[in-house]
Amino acid sequence: MGDLGANILASSIVLLAFMVIMGVIYTIWTQMNMRKKRKYFEELHKELAPGQEVMFGGGIFGVVQSVAGDRVQVKVRSGAVLDVSRYAVQEIAS
């Protein structure tokens, strides 16, 4: 019975070590993806200019009319001009 207890303990330690390694790998992978996204959005918000077709997080498309600081005026298909935060823009479509 002593060998069985030692085997269970050894298996538990190996499993715990494996879980810790997987946790470290997941954390590093997540941080790398967050850096890529942060860089993408920094560049996207710097490149925002009148005439570009953009998409908001909610899937609404429009054309940038003007950019003033953190505010962007976007004309949507109905003809309405929306005053939104530049950080609401998720993608430059054109």
Side-chain angles (χ1 to χ4, degrees):
M1 204 68 162
D3 287 336
L4 180 62
N7 286 340
I8 290 173
L9 179 62
S11 297
S12 297
I13 291 172
V14 169
L15 181 63
L16 180 62
F18 179 73
M19 290 176 68
V20 167
I21 290 169
M22 292 303 294
V24 168
I25 290 171
Y26 177 75
T27 302
I28 292 169
W29 182 71
T30 302
Q31 291 296 322
M32 288 172 50
N33 282 342
M34 287 178 63
R35 264 191 225 121
K36 286 179 187 176
K37 282 185 180 181
R38 189 177 309 122
K39 184 176 179 179
Y40 168 77
F41 282 113
E42 284 175 3
E43 290 178 13
L44 179 134
H45 294 136
K46 286 179 188 174
E47 295 174 1
L48 208 53
Q52 294 176 319
E53 184 179 8
V54 295
M55 183 185 77
F56 299 114
I60 298 171
F61 287 88
V63 177
V64 175
Q65 298 293 301
S66 68
V67 179
D70 285 346
R71 290 185 174 217
V72 179
Q73 288 188 336
V74 180
K75 186 175 182 180
V76 293
R77 184 177 294 187
S78 69
V81 177
L82 305 174
D83 195 21
V84 298
S85 167
R86 79 181 317 139
Y87 305 108
V89 175
Q90 295 295 306
E91 182 180 323
I92 296 175
S94 61

